[in-house]
Amino acid sequence: MAMVDNIVTGILVALIFIAAGFIFFQTQTKQNIERLEQKQMFFLHDNLEVDVDSFLLFTENDTHKDFATLISYAIYRRRDNFSVFDPLDPDKAINITKEINYTLTKMFGTGNFFLNITPEIYDIGISFILDGSDSLTAERDQLRADLVSIVTSALIGDRTILVSVYIISQDDSKCTDFATEVATLNSIGPEVQALCTVIHGDHDTGDAGEAGRCMYPTIYDEVDSFKSLYEIYPPYDFGGHNKTERAWFTFYEADWAAGTAYSIGKSDEGGMARVNLHFPMAGELSTGSAGDECYTGEDFVYSDERTLCNFCNITCIDNGVVDTDEENRSWNIVQKAINIAVDKNQVICPIFAWNANYYTPTADPAYDAAWDLWVSIYNSLYNPTPNIVEDADSSLCEAPGCACTGDRFHVGYHPECINEVKWQMQQMADDTDGIYSELATPADISTAVQNAVDTYKEPYKIVIGEYDGDREQLVYEKNIPMPVGTDFVKMYLHVYQ
Amino acid sequence: MRKKKGFVEILTTFFLLVVMVGVAIAFVGFNKGFLVIQHKVNDELSDFTTSHIVREKLTSCFGIVMDPDNITALKCRDDNLLEVDLLANMIHSFYINQTDHYNCKDMDWEWTAPNAIASAESEYHYYVPIRNKTHNLVCMGELTIRI
């Protein structure tokens, strides 16, 4: 019996050792398998990382730029169809999304990946550049009425909004009209900052403190070097190329392109996290649609005469070409505004306000006569069946081709320039990825601005492929630096297994 | 009665011995299985690591080299030949295909270790950048490492 007991005990001991060994090996193997799985996962992630890093280094054929650069440009410029070498040359444009899709499909296969590059917008800048003359009074009033609701509609999360109203005028009291709205916006909280500034066209106010408020370079401009850098000079350079000289005529009130350049120059650099929208509003060529002689002549007898100067002269030729002196005068400064906007990544959303309410004519007979003549030209060109009879007793109405009819309250200068003004505004919008709008009535201003704000308050995304949460997938996250500044945009690439 | 008792003891002992031998055989079998799995795991881990090392060595070259119009050898940054002897002890072979991508031509390079006798057991694929000096492009390359 003792022998049996010994054997049984021995077997039990052996079994314990065997079980212990079994458990030991099983644990070891299990750990090794877990290590393998971890290593496999690491390997797959590393593999994807290598693939994606390689993808970002591959160069696109036409631009010779790598995909990391192209993606950062696309996000920065808010467009996937552009030329890297010359942002304004559509002939050299490439479609970034198409190129990325082509390459990733080649690497991972059709439907096997999902690319998501969605920057976050933290700040929005909204700037209005308004002609300070009476012709835009109704539009300014309308903007004032809608300003608070437009701004609050763009408030999302922690986003900050900077609202700037620039009124081009020599009259500093113009901003008092906006005082209530500015105060209301500033009372919302630290996320909203609003200001109204009157910007001047003269250079010799003699006060260094005023220099920063002039849209042209002045001798005091040590800070606003962009004015000289982009040559934002007045159109008339009298005597000795003295850029501080001011023309006699108050052209600057209508120089909305210089005002836009000023607004852009004063704004922070745009980028992934910041969108700056600039809304110039006008119905004339920048610097005005009147002929050059109106800016240099000093022989006007009546004060209103100079305003109506050149009504009978055609200053624009509606042929789709910038060819007259007046068209060139405007186009010159418009191009400069475009250049500074492209360089600083700003968006211009011009608003064409043709039916501007001009001020009520005075009782001055010479003024009325000139006015009637101009109204007749307007009607003969653009309103063949006028329904309002206007001051029929003017002798100037006897001029050939003139009929004294029209609605003096809903007209603008030089109707023959309408298409040229529209074209130049459209160029501004096209070259800066902005939105061009036309106002049928002043009430449309809210819709025009709201439309642009709604479009740009959302970030510009590059999304390729379909997201499928049910499929097993690896996700690779990569920070891509922006071409300007210190911002990064996060790129997420999901590769389905 | 005593005889019967002795028979039972022998039978019991025999039975227990059979059980013990069975368990021992099972133990050895299991352990062998475990060892095979462990061996395979270690091999794979080793292969992963090797492929990483080789890929890094190769891509450090590919990022710089490849003049598709004048390929005589794989060259590294300093224009020295790739240290193939080093690779020869690590991998079976590698294969690079420069894909037909934009201006990049569809071209292949293949290298097999001089002492490679047995066929490769594992394959690892990567996309790697291949700088094209002629056209100033970075082409897409598919690298296959066989171990």
Side-chain angles (χ1 to χ4, degrees):
Chain A
M1 205 49 203
M3 189 179 76
V4 173
D5 289 346
N6 289 340
I7 290 171
V8 169
T9 306
I11 288 172
L12 283 174
V13 171
L15 281 175
I16 289 168
F17 275 107
I18 288 168
F22 182 83
I23 291 167
F24 173 75
F25 278 108
Q26 191 207 27
T27 308
Q28 285 289 306
T29 307
K30 197 177 168 187
Q31 283 178 351
N32 270 355
I33 289 172
E34 282 174 359
R35 271 179 58 207
L36 177 68
E37 285 173 349
Q38 285 174 357
K39 193 85 176 177
Q40 264 179 330
M41 193 52 68
F42 168 77
F43 173 78
L44 289 170
H45 272 284
D46 188 63
N47 206 351
L48 178 60
E49 185 179 332
V50 170
D51 288 349
V52 176
D53 285 347
S54 298
F55 155 72
L56 293 173
L57 287 172
F58 298 153
T59 45
E60 190 276 329
N61 196 34
D62 295 330
T63 59
H64 288 203
K65 297 281 184 189
D66 58 67
F67 278 108
T69 304
L70 294 175
I71 288 170
S72 70
Y73 267 77
I75 293 294
Y76 184 72
R77 295 285 182 209
R78 295 180 64 88
R79 62 164 86 174
D80 69 352
N81 212 331
F82 64 95
S83 167
V84 173
F85 292 125
D86 184 354
L88 302 182
D89 186 350
D91 292 337
K92 294 177 183 171
I94 57 164
N95 188 306
I96 305 299
T97 307
K98 187 179 154 196
E99 302 298 341
I100 293 172
N101 192 24
Y102 171 82
T103 307
L104 289 180
T105 301
K106 216 167 177 56
M107 292 173 72
F108 302 112
T110 306
N112 283 337
F113 66 90
F114 170 66
L115 176 74
N116 185 4
I117 308 172
T118 305
E120 287 188 52
I121 291 181
Y122 301 116
D123 306 305
I124 295 183
I126 303 173
S127 302
F128 299 96
I129 300 95
L130 307 173
D131 182 336
S133 69
D134 292 339
S135 61
L136 280 175
T137 301
E139 283 73 12
R140 286 200 303 274
D141 289 345
Q142 188 67 48
L143 175 64
R144 207 153 45 85
D146 299 333
L147 190 60
V148 175
S149 65
I150 290 170
V151 172
T152 50
S153 75
L155 272 172
I156 300 172
D158 297 332
R159 178 177 293 174
T160 61
I161 300 181
L162 176 62
V163 185
S164 307
V165 178
Y166 293 108
I167 301 178
I168 310 173
S169 174
Q170 203 69 7
D171 180 2
D172 287 342
S173 68
K174 295 277 183 186
C175 265
T176 55
D177 294 343
F178 281 87
T180 305
E181 288 69 28
V182 167
T184 304
L185 288 172
N186 283 324
S187 68
I188 291 174
E191 64 270 32
V192 179
Q193 292 178 52
L195 58 92
C196 179
T197 307
V198 171
I199 47 177
H200 298 182
D202 61 340
H203 312 82
D204 52 358
T205 53
D207 181 358
E210 295 288 303
R213 297 171 54 199
C214 180
M215 56 191 182
Y216 306 118
T218 76
I219 55 173
Y220 306 113
D221 272 328
E222 293 174 355
V223 177
D224 296 337
S225 57
F226 66 88
K227 298 174 191 170
S228 299
L229 186 65
Y230 288 89
E231 299 182 332
I232 314 297
Y233 295 133
Y236 304 101
D237 183 14
F238 299 107
H241 300 279
N242 183 353
K243 302 297 183 189
T244 62
E245 192 92 32
R246 177 190 169 200
W248 176 82
F249 193 77
T250 55
F251 63 85
Y252 64 88
E253 283 189 342
D255 197 357
W256 48 268
T260 305
Y262 177 88
S263 169
I264 293 167
K266 298 293 273 184
S267 300
D268 289 339
E269 191 87 36
M272 180 191 75
R274 166 175 281 279
V275 174
N276 286 320
L277 305 175
H278 301 267
F279 295 92
M281 187 161 56
E284 290 184 78
L285 293 171
S286 188
T287 67
S289 295
D292 281 358
E293 61 272 26
C294 299
Y295 298 92
T296 55
E298 296 184 17
D299 54 349
F300 297 108
V301 177
Y302 302 100
S303 60
D304 291 323
E305 198 177 348
R306 65 171 190 185
T307 307
L308 299 174
C309 169
N310 212 239
F311 274 180
C312 287
N313 292 0
I314 297 296
T315 56
C316 297
I317 301 173
D318 189 8
N319 57 0
V321 180
V322 181
D323 47 6
T324 69
D325 289 344
E326 291 77 12
E327 291 170 354
N328 267 308
R329 189 178 69 217
S330 174
W331 181 233
N332 180 39
I333 191 71
V334 166
Q335 283 179 298
K336 290 171 181 173
I338 291 173
N339 287 339
I340 188 172
V342 170
D343 289 350
K344 289 192 71 176
N345 195 27
Q346 314 267 311
V347 180
I348 306 178
C349 300
I351 299 174
F352 179 73
W354 171 246
N355 282 323
N357 280 359
Y358 206 75
Y359 55 79
T360 306
T362 66
D364 188 325
Y367 172 87
D368 267 2
W371 178 265
D372 290 342
L373 175 61
W374 182 81
V375 166
S376 71
I377 293 171
Y378 170 75
N379 282 328
S380 67
L381 285 170
Y382 294 97
N383 190 17
T385 54
N387 53 12
I388 300 174
V389 178
E390 183 76 22
D391 290 342
D393 60 344
S394 171
S395 59
L396 284 176
C397 292
E398 295 169 4
C402 295
C404 295
T405 55
D407 178 0
R408 69 174 57 172
F409 304 108
H410 298 91
V411 292
Y413 279 112
H414 292 274
E416 79 280 6
C417 293
I418 286 179
N419 287 334
E420 182 63 32
V421 178
K422 287 181 178 178
W423 181 83
Q424 293 191 9
M425 284 188 158
Q426 186 73 58
Q427 290 303 304
M428 273 186 145
D430 290 348
D431 292 344
T432 62
D433 265 347
I435 296 174
Y436 164 74
S437 312
E438 291 179 18
L439 304 184
T441 68
D444 292 343
I445 192 169
S446 178
T447 309
V449 176
Q450 191 71 61
N451 180 34
V453 171
D454 286 347
T455 301
Y456 287 97
K457 73 181 181 185
E458 298 300 331
Y460 179 79
K461 305 175 185 176
I462 295 179
V463 178
I464 303 174
E466 296 287 332
Y467 175 70
D468 186 349
D470 296 332
R471 290 175 70 180
E472 194 178 335
Q473 57 196 274
L474 289 170
V475 184
Y476 182 60
E477 176 188 325
K478 180 87 178 172
N479 282 328
I480 299 178
M482 290 289 97
V484 175
T486 55
D487 286 333
F488 289 83
V489 63
K490 281 192 188 300
M491 179 185 91
Y492 294 94
L493 181 66
H494 301 238
V495 177
Y496 301 118
Q497 301 298 296
Chain B
M1 192 62 192
R2 191 175 177 83
K3 260 187 181 178
K4 197 177 178 180
K5 195 175 178 183
F7 177 74
V8 171
E9 283 180 358
I10 290 166
L11 195 64
T12 306
T13 305
F14 177 73
F15 176 74
L16 290 172
L17 280 171
V18 168
V19 170
M20 196 172 80
V21 170
V23 169
I25 290 170
F27 169 73
V28 170
F30 276 125
N31 282 351
K32 195 173 172 62
F34 290 145
L35 287 171
V36 168
I37 292 170
Q38 283 208 44
H39 187 68
K40 201 175 171 186
V41 165
N42 286 334
D43 276 356
E44 283 198 44
L45 289 176
S46 170
D47 286 355
F48 284 165
T49 309
T50 304
S51 76
H52 278 230
I53 294 168
V54 172
R55 187 257 303 160
E56 280 173 13
K57 282 187 178 300
L58 291 175
T59 49
S60 71
C61 293
F62 300 153
I64 306 297
V65 247
M66 298 306 177
D67 179 353
D69 295 333
N70 182 27
I71 303 166
T72 53
L74 296 171
K75 291 183 178 180
C76 278
R77 191 187 312 256
D78 55 359
D79 274 359
N80 289 326
L81 287 174
L82 188 65
E83 296 174 33
V84 289
D85 290 344
L86 182 68
L87 296 181
N89 295 323
M90 299 176 76
I91 61 172
H92 172 271
S93 58
F94 70 83
Y95 170 77
I96 312 159
N97 170 234
Q98 181 178 286
T99 58
D100 184 13
H101 174 77
Y102 298 124
N103 268 347
C104 304
K105 299 172 187 172
D106 189 4
M107 303 183 79
D108 300 331
W109 296 271
E110 185 156 17
W111 176 89
T112 305
N115 56 353
I117 302 169
S119 58
E121 293 180 354
S122 315
E123 268 194 7
Y124 299 93
H125 297 274
Y126 301 92
Y127 285 97
V128 292
I130 299 177
R131 193 170 299 282
N132 178 319
K133 283 181 178 173
T134 309
H135 298 103
N136 191 25
L137 293 169
V138 178
C139 298
M140 180 198 292
E142 289 181 66
L143 168 66
T144 305
I145 297 173
R146 302 190 187 101
I147 296 172

